[in-house]
């Protein structure tokens, strides 16, 4: 494959400002954001994702040993349409096994990309075809589920946009893939994790990026309506964000239009976006050219700009009320009255268990468990589901965190919504990933309407890979 065409940064920024429409490709698969977008838009659309080593200038020097699905550029945004079949070949050009998972998309079980549970690992040189029809519009993402720590920490995470049938009427779009890289002063990868951190909150990266850039700038017409899609694809960091300098509202979370409103984030109360989670934001760009909207990471210790949207040209004078509301995705009706309650505890593992190591990588130690049963390794035979659900029935899963750490708990293949917490009021929005705070118990409601074995794990990858994983069986 040809090396991507490089254009100077200014030319690229102008292009990024054109929004999604200008980059759409005929096949329904398109790219946006990044130098690759320009290169790909000018070429034939890809029918293949080729997992391969990459190098990229994240900071000063070029970082080697990154992983992408495009030569020396970030993984592209994949564009699909609600209800329209999608198919892609994933080829593994690395010297270790891999698979691809479509986070949040309700796919048939055999398309879910979980090694040993739903498919064999894709070995070096092999190709695996994934075909499914996305049922739900919204923002999703893709990442490997084999050698997950190695490949995700080195960059293999990409965003999926599933477009609505009814166009809500935005003038433009920016997609932000938030991801940290753990690189040293020489800009090369350091040890990706430590056992000490894996047993606690996880190992943080050193450079915060959006679309593999530090605070990239995307231009949009002044006074225009922009859909900002944010996905937290880091292996560890729980982002707390504000969106400064614009009028806006949050319109969807984790793919799904909101059932209950989420407050606009403020410096006092930033919004949490944990590994795996997404936000769709409707923004109105400032009236004056040159004014910036800044997506900011905020903690009591640190304030950092992650990405900037810059107003350009004369004022389009649009208003947020002109947007058509997003239509809810077609989800089964959850019936709490008929629900069986299943309790699951998330916490420490019994001592001394050594995980089984297949082709998909193991840290060699176990710290965490679901219901005191640590995941014995991807390739372990005879693993039992943590819950056995009957197809079509409603369930309440009572998730109890007995540890002091936060765990973004993710379920494949199904959607659920939080019903209540013992610690806070939680809006009951449909999701695939919910954060369990320290000593928190959350009841979630779901309808078991997709048959198969569905991975269920913490999305802090160090927790997932040291025991905090399992699966739910629907049959
Ligand atoms: Cu985002 Cu099991 O994964
Ligand atoms: Cu997933
Ligand atoms: Cu965790």
């Amino acid at each position: 494959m040809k090396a991507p065409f490089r254009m100077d940064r200014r030319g690229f920024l102008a292009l990024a400002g054109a929004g999604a429409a200008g980059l759409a490709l005929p096949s329904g698969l398109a790219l946006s954001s990044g130098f690759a977008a320009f290169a790909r838009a000018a070429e034939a659309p890809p029918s293949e994702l080729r997992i391969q080593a990459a190098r990229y200038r994240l900071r000063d020097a070029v970082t080697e040993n990154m992983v992408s699905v495009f030569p020396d550029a970030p993984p592209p945004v994949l564009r699909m349409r609600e209800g329209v079949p999608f198919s892609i070949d994933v080829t593994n050009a690395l010297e270790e096994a891999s698979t691809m998972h479509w986070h949040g998309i309700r796919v048939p079980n055999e398309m879910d990309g979980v090694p040993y549970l739903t498919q064999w690992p894709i070995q070096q040189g092999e190709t695996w075809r994934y075909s499914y029809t996305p049922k739900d519009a919204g923002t999703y993402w893709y990442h490997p589920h084999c050698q997950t720590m190695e490949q995700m920490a080195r960059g293999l995470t990409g965003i999926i946009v599933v477009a609505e049938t009814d166009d809500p009427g935005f003038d433009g779009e920016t997609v932000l893939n938030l991801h940290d890289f753990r690189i040293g002063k020489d800009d090369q990868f350091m040890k990706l994790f430590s056992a000490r951190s894996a047993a606690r909150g996880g190992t943080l990266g050193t450079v915060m990026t959006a679309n593999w850039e530090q605070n990239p700038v995307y231009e949009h017409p002044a006074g225009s309506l922009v859909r900002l899609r944010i996905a937290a694809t880091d292996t560890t960091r729980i982002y707390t964000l504000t969106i400064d300098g614009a009028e806006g509202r949050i319109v969807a979370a984790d793919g799904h239009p909101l059932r209950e409103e989420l407050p606009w984030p403020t410096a006092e109360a930033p919004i949490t976006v944990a590994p795996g989670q997404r936000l769709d934001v409707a923004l109105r760009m400032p009236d004056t050219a040159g004014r910036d909207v800044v997506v900011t990471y905020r903690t009591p210790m640190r304030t950092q700009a992650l990405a900037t949207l810059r107003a350009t040209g004369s004022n389009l004078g649009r208003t947020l009320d002109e947007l058509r509301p997003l239509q809810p995705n077609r989800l089964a009706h959850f019936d709490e009255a008929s629900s069986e309650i299943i309790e699951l505890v998330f916490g420490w593992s019994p001592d001394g268990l050594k995980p089984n190591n297949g082709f998909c990588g193991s840290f060699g130690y176990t710290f965490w468990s679901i219901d005191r049963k640590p995941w014995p390794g991807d390739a372990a035979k005879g693993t039992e589901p943590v819950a056995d659900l009957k197809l079509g029935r409603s369930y309440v899963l009572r998730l109890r965190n007995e540890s002091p750490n936060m765990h973004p708990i993710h379920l494949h293949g199904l959607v659920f919504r939080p019903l209540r917490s013992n610690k806070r009021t939680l809006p009951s929005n449909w999701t695939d990933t919910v954060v369990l705070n320290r000593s928190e118990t959350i009841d979630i409601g779901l309808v078991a309407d997709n048959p198969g074995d569905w991975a269920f794990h913490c999305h802090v990858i160090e927790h997932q890979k040291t025991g905090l994983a399992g699966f739910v069986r629907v049959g």
Side-chain angles (χ1 to χ4, degrees):
M1 195 179 282
K2 262 198 314 183
F5 174 77
R6 296 256 171 189
M7 64 193 294
D8 69 69
R9 190 169 179 82
R10 232 203 267 141
F12 161 64
L13 294 175
L15 179 85
L23 297 171
L25 296 176
S27 70
L29 174 61
L31 309 151
S32 74
S33 301
F35 294 104
F38 182 83
R40 270 291 179 72
E43 289 174 8
S47 56
E48 182 188 59
L49 296 176
R50 195 176 177 80
I51 303 174
Q52 59 191 287
R55 51 207 302 275
Y56 198 78
R57 196 180 300 277
L58 294 169
R59 191 165 52 185
D60 301 321
V62 169
T63 302
E64 308 284 345
N65 300 315
M66 299 187 67
V67 181
S68 184
V69 284
F70 194 88
D72 298 333
V77 175
L78 296 182
R79 291 188 180 273
M80 309 178 188
R81 286 201 154 272
E82 157 185 41
V84 175
F86 171 83
S87 174
I88 200 156
D89 285 338
V90 174
T91 296
N92 182 8
L94 296 175
E95 280 163 27
E96 62 190 25
S98 192
T99 62
M100 201 59 86
H101 169 60
W102 319 93
H103 181 123
I105 300 191
R106 298 186 296 142
V107 297
N109 198 234
E110 64 276 14
M111 294 296 148
D112 201 38
V114 180
Y116 304 99
L117 196 63
T118 72
Q119 68 164 86
W120 294 109
I122 309 173
Q123 300 291 355
Q124 182 178 12
E126 287 180 358
T127 298
W128 195 282
R129 172 164 295 183
Y130 294 93
S131 308
Y132 52 85
T133 301
K135 295 181 207 158
D136 306 318
T139 307
Y140 302 92
W141 62 296
Y142 61 98
H143 62 80
H145 225 283
C146 176
Q147 298 289 350
T148 315
M149 188 67 197
E150 275 295 317
Q151 295 173 16
M152 279 179 63
R154 294 176 188 278
L156 186 49
T157 68
I159 311 303
I160 297 171
V161 168
V162 181
E164 292 86 8
T165 322
D166 302 320
D167 177 6
F170 289 97
D171 301 308
E173 177 170 284
T174 288
V175 180
L176 298 179
N177 177 354
L178 302 185
H179 196 94
D180 297 2
F181 291 93
R182 196 168 155 73
I183 54 177
K185 287 209 170 59
D186 59 356
D187 292 330
Q188 304 311 309
F189 282 104
M190 303 189 287
K191 212 167 155 290
L192 297 174
F193 60 87
S194 68
R196 196 187 140 80
S197 305
R200 296 178 172 77
T203 312
L204 289 171
T206 54
V207 173
M208 300 180 81
T209 71
N211 304 331
W212 289 21
E213 307 282 342
Q214 292 182 82
N215 190 14
V217 178
Y218 302 101
E219 298 186 337
H220 289 280
S224 66
L225 297 174
V226 174
R227 184 174 191 158
L228 177 62
R229 299 179 188 261
I230 300 173
T233 79
D234 193 50
T235 52
T236 313
R237 187 179 300 276
I238 295 171
Y239 295 86
T240 40
L241 303 176
T242 57
I243 300 155
D244 307 325
E247 211 190 318
R249 57 176 83 111
I250 295 160
V251 292
D254 305 327
H256 299 279
L258 302 184
R259 293 174 73 243
E260 289 179 27
E261 220 173 285
L262 291 175
W264 187 248
T266 60
E268 297 70 43
I271 189 163
T272 298
V273 192
Q277 296 186 316
R278 296 85 65 204
L279 278 187
D280 282 39
V281 183
L283 282 182
R284 181 180 185 280
M285 291 299 289
D287 288 328
T288 316
R291 285 287 193 83
D292 288 343
V293 181
V294 184
V295 178
T296 310
Y297 175 73
R298 271 177 209 278
T299 69
M301 339 275 288
R302 183 169 176 187
T303 300
Q304 178 149 349
L306 297 181
T308 298
L309 276 58
R310 181 161 297 160
T312 58
S314 52
N315 186 359
L316 295 194
R318 301 283 311 269
T319 62
L320 286 168
D321 299 337
E322 292 168 44
L323 291 169
R324 281 173 292 284
L326 298 179
Q327 294 308 305
N329 288 315
R330 278 180 285 274
L331 304 174
H333 174 72
F334 166 69
D335 178 37
E336 183 160 11
S338 71
S339 294
E340 183 187 330
I341 299 173
I342 298 172
E343 299 197 25
L344 296 169
V345 54
F346 297 80
W348 306 107
S349 74
D351 280 344
L353 291 160
K354 282 264 178 218
N356 167 303
N357 185 10
F359 286 105
C360 288
S362 158
F363 288 15
Y365 36 75
T366 295
F367 298 127
W368 300 95
S369 67
I370 300 179
D371 254 13
R372 320 241 184 262
K373 290 184 281 274
W375 184 243
D378 293 325
K381 286 213 173 59
T383 49
E384 295 292 329
V386 296
D388 222 319
L389 312 182
K390 291 206 177 50
L391 187 63
R393 296 264 306 262
S394 290
Y395 290 89
V396 172
L397 304 189
R398 179 159 293 162
L399 314 179
R400 182 161 67 84
N401 180 8
E402 63 171 10
S403 82
N405 300 99
M406 290 166 87
H407 302 288
I409 302 298
H410 170 53
L411 177 60
H412 290 211
L414 303 168
V415 289
F416 60 84
R417 59 185 168 88
L419 303 171
R420 62 192 69 84
S421 152
N422 65 338
K423 293 271 182 193
R424 53 182 164 147
T425 22
L426 267 180
S428 195
N429 289 313
W430 292 107
T431 178
D432 50 68
T433 309
V434 69
V435 177
L436 271 182
N437 285 330
R438 172 191 192 108
S439 307
E440 186 176 35
T441 299
I442 297 179
D443 284 356
I444 62 169
L446 61 81
V447 183
D449 61 352
N450 197 1
D453 286 346
W454 299 110
F456 187 46
H457 60 87
C458 179
H459 226 292
V460 170
I461 307 301
E462 285 158 272
H463 294 172
Q464 176 192 357
K465 293 298 276 186
T466 59
L468 220 169
F471 67 95
V472 165
R473 177 164 290 159
V474 178

